[in-house]
Amino acid sequence: SSWSYKFRPCAPRAHSAATLPSACIASTTMAPMKRPAASSASGASKKVAKDPLAAKGDEIAAMLHAAEGFPEAVIHAIATNLDKSLLIPKDQRHAFQEEVVGMIEQVLVSVEKALQSKAGDAQAKVAGSDSEKSVREQAVLAAEAVIAEKVAAVDAAKAALNEAA
């Protein structure tokens, strides 16, 4: 709680705030309290239905932020103006809004190309992994054959040692 003080003029002596004589204080009153916030009758918060176009706008904004090769300030400017350009019906758009829609299209086309390139790289890696797998399986078989030869040589050496002993 905060207090407010009403001061009377005092003698012309200098006082610090901590050592103010009580004669200079006329009265003390509490500052008015704030009214408590109104609570809902049920106590549960209600979920507000989101506009489906706004949800699509959020998805498009996320795709815009995934774009590479564009200045961050440009992406931010385009993404924040989606509701003022792309979400406006085409027949109601101004020429400037059409330009912004064209910019959005350019960015999304670049995002699509980048995703297609990444998908192509991943498919090539998967295709290459089949041939790499067969090469590694051949190496495993060759290593198992060498192990079998070494085990046979060790067994023969142990048998020769037992006969000599």
Side-chain angles (χ1 to χ4, degrees):
S1 68
S2 62
W3 291 87
S4 64
Y5 295 95
K6 294 182 181 175
F7 295 100
R8 278 187 263 162
C10 290
R13 292 187 307 166
H15 298 288
S16 69
T19 62
L20 193 62
S22 60
C24 293
I25 301 174
S27 68
T28 59
T29 58
M30 267 190 89
M33 299 278 294
K34 289 185 178 179
R35 188 174 66 173
S39 61
S40 64
S42 64
S45 63
K46 293 182 180 179
K47 204 173 201 181
V48 177
K50 191 170 184 178
D51 181 23
L53 286 178
K56 290 285 185 189
D58 292 343
E59 291 176 18
I60 293 170
M63 293 295 291
L64 289 172
H65 286 290
E68 296 174 357
F70 292 94
E72 185 62 33
V74 171
I75 298 297
H76 179 72
I78 293 173
T80 55
N81 287 308
L82 281 175
D83 60 335
K84 297 172 189 85
S85 57
L86 192 62
L87 300 181
I88 303 294
K90 189 173 186 172
D91 59 344
Q92 296 177 6
R93 290 184 195 151
H94 187 271
F96 292 138
Q97 292 170 324
E98 288 293 335
E99 286 184 34
V100 172
V101 170
M103 292 177 202
I104 293 169
E105 181 182 11
Q106 286 179 337
V107 173
L108 291 178
V109 165
S110 75
V111 168
E112 181 183 25
K113 286 181 182 178
L115 291 174
Q116 288 174 345
S117 173
K118 288 179 183 179
D121 292 345
Q123 288 175 344
K125 187 175 181 179
V126 168
S129 67
D130 290 339
S131 63
E132 187 177 328
K133 180 182 176 184
S134 64
V135 167
R136 290 183 182 196
E137 286 175 348
Q138 294 297 325
V140 167
L141 292 175
E144 288 174 348
V146 168
I147 289 173
E149 289 175 15
K150 300 290 181 178
V151 168
V154 168
D155 289 342
K158 284 182 181 179
L161 184 60
N162 286 340
E163 287 178 17

